[in-house]
Amino acid sequence: MKSKLNKSSFLAILLFLSLITSCDTVTYKQGQVLYNAKCATCHMADGSGVSKLYPALNALSNSDVDIHNLACIIRYGQNKEKYSLEMAGIKDLTDIEINNIINYILNELNDYKEEHSIDSTKQQLANCISIK
């Protein structure tokens, strides 16, 4: 009986520890992975950007980045009217992947605490097709 109690206690503790260590503070994990793979090279992992070359994405409230057009910018790029270098679009991303990147940028890098819906992303993308 004593060994069963020890085994069950051990398993409970092991389960508890695995739950604690598996928790991640990043809510938008796919967005983070995609951001790091597709965006961080230029905009930096922390979103700080590089002066007038690549805009900071971690301080959008103090930025001239059009947050209402992020889906179009991600998919089709940005001309160099505002910045020294042109941003190429990332056309191989799905609408959902773009939405996850936007949520990562808005909520994890900027602390907006507001879910950007897939419907909003699709609406943005439908309205920016002409600027390819």
Side-chain angles (χ1 to χ4, degrees):
M1 184 81 145
K2 187 176 182 183
S3 66
K4 269 191 169 183
L5 181 62
N6 288 338
K7 285 181 183 178
S8 62
S9 296
F10 175 75
L11 289 174
I13 291 170
L14 187 62
L15 176 64
F16 177 73
L17 289 174
S18 71
L19 288 173
I20 289 175
T21 58
S22 69
C23 292
D24 194 343
T25 59
V26 176
T27 304
Y28 301 99
K29 191 66 176 171
Q30 185 194 35
Q32 179 186 39
V33 169
L34 289 166
Y35 176 88
N36 286 334
K38 305 278 188 178
C39 312
T41 302
C42 300
H43 295 283
M44 304 299 113
D46 66 353
S48 61
V50 179
S51 190
K52 280 291 193 180
L53 296 177
Y54 305 107
L57 299 177
N58 65 354
L60 292 176
S61 60
N62 300 323
S63 162
D64 58 357
V65 173
D66 183 2
I67 64 171
H68 303 292
N69 202 30
L70 284 176
C72 296
I73 293 169
I74 293 168
R75 166 110 3 113
Y76 299 110
Q78 179 82 35
N79 63 28
K80 57 183 191 174
E81 289 175 10
K82 294 180 182 179
Y83 302 97
S84 302
L85 298 174
E86 185 169 326
M87 178 186 149
I90 310 169
K91 295 183 179 169
D92 64 330
L93 293 173
T94 67
D95 294 358
I96 292 171
E97 290 171 328
I98 290 172
N99 192 70
N100 288 339
I101 292 171
I102 291 170
N103 274 310
Y104 175 72
I105 291 169
L106 294 178
N107 294 295
E108 299 294 335
L109 295 182
N110 287 276
D111 204 29
Y112 273 54
K113 305 279 188 239
E114 186 175 314
E115 182 82 18
H116 184 83
S117 72
I118 186 64
D119 291 336
S120 296
T121 296
K122 287 181 178 190
Q123 181 72 37
Q124 280 183 29
L125 291 170
N127 291 332
C128 66
I129 298 295
S130 62
I131 64 167
K132 293 186 219 180

